């Protein structure tokens, strides 16, 4: 659960423009891809740290995706995070496309 909270902070606070490898969880992959595409609209402060955090969050998702006990929680987390970003993030218009 700690990884899920960290990923939420990463997704809501980062500004990277880089390629993220697939996690194997379709909704999480869609979220990460859309976030990557839309993140260029965020302020560029602290981009190096943001890129690192996004990659670490994606790595955490990939590492936990194969665990059948965690997978449903990860799917729900990504779906909820995606919807929250569409509704209230700085890049909500882009995320909602």
């Amino acid at each position: 659960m700690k990884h899920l909270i960290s990923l939420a902070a990463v997704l809501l606070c980062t500004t990277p423009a880089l390629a993220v490898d697939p996690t194997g969880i379709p909704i999480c992959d869609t979220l990460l891809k859309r976030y990557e595409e839309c993140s260029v609209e965020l302020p560029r402060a602290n981009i190096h740290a943001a890129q690192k955090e996004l990659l670490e969050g994606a790595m955490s998702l990939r590492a936990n995706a194969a665990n059948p006990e965690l997978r449903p929680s990860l799917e729900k987390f990504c779906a909820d995070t995606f919807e929250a970003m569409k509704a209230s993030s700085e890049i909500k218009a882009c995320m909602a496309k």
Side-chain angles (χ1 to χ4, degrees):
M1 201 58 156
K2 181 180 176 184
H3 294 288
L4 297 177
I5 294 168
S6 296
L7 182 61
V10 167
L11 291 174
L12 294 174
C13 300
T14 60
T15 63
L18 56 125
V20 175
D21 291 333
T23 65
I25 302 172
I27 187 64
C28 295
D29 292 341
T30 301
L31 167 64
L32 291 170
K33 181 180 179 192
R34 180 73 53 82
Y35 180 74
E36 182 180 5
E37 293 168 355
C38 296
S39 65
V40 296
E41 296 180 12
L42 290 167
R44 293 254 175 211
N46 302 322
I47 193 162
H48 178 72
Q51 289 175 342
K52 182 180 176 205
E53 289 174 346
L54 180 64
L55 289 172
E56 288 173 355
M59 286 174 29
S60 176
L61 281 170
R62 280 193 306 279
N64 291 302
N67 183 329
E69 292 179 11
L70 292 178
R71 193 173 176 99
S73 296
L74 295 172
E75 290 170 348
K76 181 174 178 1
F77 169 78
C78 289
D80 291 349
T81 300
F82 201 1
E83 290 306 311
M85 291 187 79
K86 289 178 188 178
S88 63
S89 69
E90 288 182 273
I91 54 174
K92 64 185 175 187
C94 184
M95 291 297 291
K97 290 181 185 176

